[in-house]
Amino acid sequence: MAFFQRPTEYPCQLILDPQNDYETLRRRVEQTTLKAQTVNRNRSGVTNVSSPGKSLNLYPSNEYEVLPNGSEAHWEVVERILFIYAKLNPGIAYVQGMNEIVGPIYYTFATDPSSQWKEHAEADTFFCFTNLMSENRDNFIKSLDDSQCGITCKMESVYSMLKEKDLELHLKLVKTLWVSFQDREEMSGGAQPLPPVFPLLRSGVQADPPAEPVLPGVGQRSASESILSCKLHQEFLLPDVIRIWDTLFSDKDRFHFLLLVCCAMLM
Amino acid sequence: MEDYDYLFKIVLIGNAGVGKTCLVRRFTQGLFPPGQGATIGVDFMIKTVEINGEKVKLQIWDTAGQERFRSITQSYYRSANALILTYDITCEDSFRCLPEWLKEIEQYANNQVVTILVGNKIDLADKREVLRQRAEDFAQAQSMLYLETSAKESDNVEKLFLDLACELIREAKQNKLDNNDTAPMPGEGKTISYLNCCSLN
């Protein structure tokens, strides 16, 4: 993922021009206790949820270093896209997992052979991201999580699909989930809410099987599956992600195919 | 699953400054914020109401009226079960823009969407510029429901949302749709012609 640390050929001149005294995100982010970490560190944001200690070692602090004045790294462009999206859609704002969605889109535009395409990558990405989100924003809205258009329901359908295709695996998973769920209940006295592994699911079910695929039902139930997820998301490389998305987006039955992919990955 | 029988998405649209945000806040929070600023982008609030013993969860999207946010707000039309098209009875201009809004609805919203026309600010009766009859005729011609409200005095605000919820329930039952199908399926709305706004030269 070194791509996102490299400077972009087309930084936002308006902001970088020292004559304009804009308060840049750089400054804001540093002042607000490194908000950039959650926004930009795709992988670490995710690992953070399951094993916060490890992620610190995995990602040395200089990885997302701010480039010298006058240039901008690609991650800063992505950060700006997400920031503006969050500001324009306060009902949704920023939810972990969005970075996983915007990343491949931006990468595709910003690495286009034609310089004309590259030049407008930021605007194009924003447009595509906004449109994609208009189809699946419900998955990112916490108050809809348990509704019939929310994420929990989507996971349920992956489960029932799995049950149909591979009963044995389904039973095994359900059993493991149930056991770890009970363990957890006992440990926490049944009162504590389970850790929010929802973001993982979100991008998993979103448009993004590749980046963190299958965390079936991991959601509320157990942490053991999130380990599974981490393993899987490292197995998929960006080119494969883009290949899979290509098929996903051509799905007329918007994202039914995604459920199939999730299911297939489990098996 | 959560404890409700229906979930409906309602989107408020209309010119800037007609009182969309105030209507939503009056209904969901019971307050009228004086000096409410212009909305940026799209926000939402949720309120669950009970109608004839059935729990109805309303997800109300409040959109920015300003032209510059139009492309953002448009992306919310498609998933709406109902649209509240709002104008200001003391502002002729906001009424004259209604055909433009209807065009937007036709272009972006699901074709089964329920639309209600709302004339807001009836507390300012002495400044009225749009006669009730005129608005009623217009609504009827476009087969829309019509209601006049005051977010400030809380007139008809409850009624607006409850009537809408009743209508949505009626439609849902009539279509014999079960709860899972009330939300429009993605892809069901009309295709948006993306190429209008970006030329590939």
Side-chain angles (χ1 to χ4, degrees):
Chain A
M1 280 294 86
F3 168 77
F4 287 100
Q5 279 104 290
R6 284 203 291 269
T8 165
E9 291 168 58
Y10 303 99
C12 179
Q13 295 298 352
L14 197 66
I15 288 179
L16 290 178
D17 187 348
Q19 286 185 340
N20 293 325
D21 197 18
Y22 289 112
E23 192 202 7
T24 59
L25 273 183
R26 265 182 203 185
R27 221 181 298 163
R28 288 173 74 142
V29 164
E30 270 167 359
Q31 284 168 1
T32 54
T33 60
L34 281 174
K35 187 177 160 230
Q37 286 197 325
T38 42
V39 177
N40 288 292
R41 294 192 181 176
N42 300 6
R43 309 297 186 202
S44 78
V46 169
T47 358
N48 259 333
V49 180
S50 48
S51 54
K54 224 167 87 187
S55 68
L56 289 177
N57 302 335
L58 271 173
Y59 298 92
S61 56
N62 61 356
E63 189 170 82
Y64 286 94
E65 227 168 41
V66 172
L67 298 173
N69 276 346
S71 61
E72 267 187 321
H74 286 294
W75 69 261
E76 289 184 277
V77 179
V78 173
E79 174 188 49
R80 191 158 53 227
I81 294 171
L82 289 168
F83 182 81
I84 291 172
Y85 182 82
K87 286 290 167 201
L88 284 177
N89 299 272
I92 309 171
Y94 176 75
V95 180
Q96 252 178 27
M98 284 184 183
N99 49 348
E100 306 277 359
I101 292 180
V102 83
I105 302 176
Y106 177 73
Y107 179 83
T108 309
F109 282 121
T111 55
D112 195 277
S114 151
S115 63
Q116 260 180 335
W117 280 79
K118 271 198 257 185
E119 191 178 344
H120 299 291
E122 182 172 355
D124 288 345
T125 306
F126 184 79
F127 180 81
C128 291
F129 178 66
T130 304
N131 273 295
L132 181 58
M133 286 301 293
S134 78
E135 284 189 57
N136 47 19
R137 67 170 83 88
D138 285 352
N139 296 348
F140 285 90
I141 299 172
K142 203 166 171 30
S143 52
L144 292 181
D145 273 351
D146 293 326
S147 76
Q148 78 270 359
C149 49
I151 197 91
T152 315
C153 181
K154 293 252 165 62
M155 282 328 297
E156 288 302 323
S157 47
V158 173
Y159 260 131
S160 59
M161 194 184 287
L162 183 67
K163 194 175 172 182
E164 220 173 88
K165 309 278 181 205
D166 190 343
L167 189 62
E168 204 183 324
L169 178 61
H170 178 260
L171 288 174
K172 208 170 166 185
L173 268 178
V174 169
K175 209 171 139 199
T176 347
L177 286 173
W178 178 240
V179 170
S180 49
F181 180 62
Q182 275 185 323
D183 286 352
R184 195 170 277 275
E185 289 269 280
E186 276 160 28
M187 268 158 48
S188 61
Q192 247 177 323
L194 298 171
V197 205
F198 268 113
L200 300 177
L201 270 177
R202 270 199 178 96
S203 45
V205 168
Q206 264 317 296
D208 201 20
E212 269 92 52
V214 192
L215 318 162
V218 184
Q220 325 91 309
R221 292 173 230 186
S222 99
S224 66
E225 277 69 35
S226 59
I227 299 164
L228 171 78
S229 80
C230 289
K231 232 170 26 194
L232 282 168
H233 97 223
Q234 273 153 17
E235 272 165 349
F236 274 103
L237 296 171
L238 195 61
D240 303 330
V241 173
I242 291 169
R243 172 64 192 87
I244 297 172
W245 279 29
D246 197 34
T247 312
L248 276 182
F249 293 158
S250 65
D251 183 7
K252 258 196 207 158
D253 229 3
R254 285 323 238 183
F255 308 133
H256 176 69
F257 181 68
L258 176 61
L259 301 183
L260 291 172
V261 174
C262 284
C263 189
M265 290 189 57
L266 271 177
M267 292 164 70
Chain B
M1 280 292 143
E2 260 177 281
D3 183 26
Y4 62 81
D5 300 293
Y6 293 97
L7 169 72
F8 295 122
K9 295 178 185 170
I10 299 174
V11 179
L12 276 98
I13 55 173
N15 274 21
V18 299
K20 295 180 292 299
T21 305
C22 290
L23 280 172
V24 177
R25 296 193 65 178
R26 169 58 82 187
F27 178 64
T28 56
Q29 303 168 330
L31 46 90
F32 178 77
Q36 172 73 38
T39 305
I40 292 175
V42 182
D43 202 352
F44 80 90
M45 293 187 191
I46 282 188
K47 182 159 171 156
T48 308
V49 295
E50 203 173 299
I51 291 170
N52 299 327
E54 290 184 295
K55 282 212 168 119
V56 184
K57 191 169 178 173
L58 300 175
Q59 189 194 25
I60 305 162
W61 291 94
D62 174 29
T63 67
Q66 289 168 17
E67 182 76 40
R68 58 204 295 214
F69 295 114
R70 216 45 63 82
S71 63
I72 301 287
T73 56
Q74 278 159 356
S75 75
Y76 284 82
Y77 287 38
R78 196 163 64 171
S79 61
N81 300 104
L83 295 169
I84 299 178
L85 177 52
T86 317
Y87 75 96
D88 173 358
I89 61 151
T90 70
C91 173
E92 170 76 25
D93 209 36
S94 71
F95 185 77
R96 266 201 232 131
C97 283
L98 292 178
E100 224 174 279
W101 285 104
L102 289 174
K103 229 183 276 170
E104 294 245 313
I105 294 173
E106 200 186 329
Q107 198 176 356
Y108 300 107
N110 183 284
N111 39 21
Q112 285 161 19
V113 75
V114 175
T115 312
I116 183 166
L117 181 64
V118 169
N120 192 31
K121 306 197 189 177
I122 49 169
D123 49 290
L124 302 174
D126 51 327
K127 290 187 190 154
R128 184 190 274 272
E129 290 182 6
V130 182
L131 290 177
R132 194 192 169 99
Q133 191 58 48
R134 203 172 136 213
E136 268 174 359
D137 291 347
F138 179 79
Q140 204 174 14
Q142 305 290 337
S143 53
M144 287 185 287
L145 308 165
Y146 179 67
L147 203 62
E148 294 199 339
T149 60
S150 164
K152 190 176 177 191
E153 307 291 338
S154 195
D155 279 344
N156 275 346
V157 177
E158 289 269 312
K159 183 176 160 52
L160 164 64
F161 288 97
L162 295 182
D163 280 3
L164 207 48
C166 284
E167 176 65 20
L168 287 166
I169 291 175
R170 206 182 55 78
E171 294 235 333
K173 286 187 172 156
Q174 194 186 2
N175 293 341
K176 287 189 187 144
L177 295 172
D178 62 26
N179 209 6
N180 292 327
D181 295 337
T182 49
M185 290 300 288
E188 206 175 278
K190 297 195 174 167
T191 331
I192 306 164
S193 45
Y194 297 119
L195 294 176
N196 285 349
C197 55
C198 52
S199 57
L200 305 167
N201 44 12

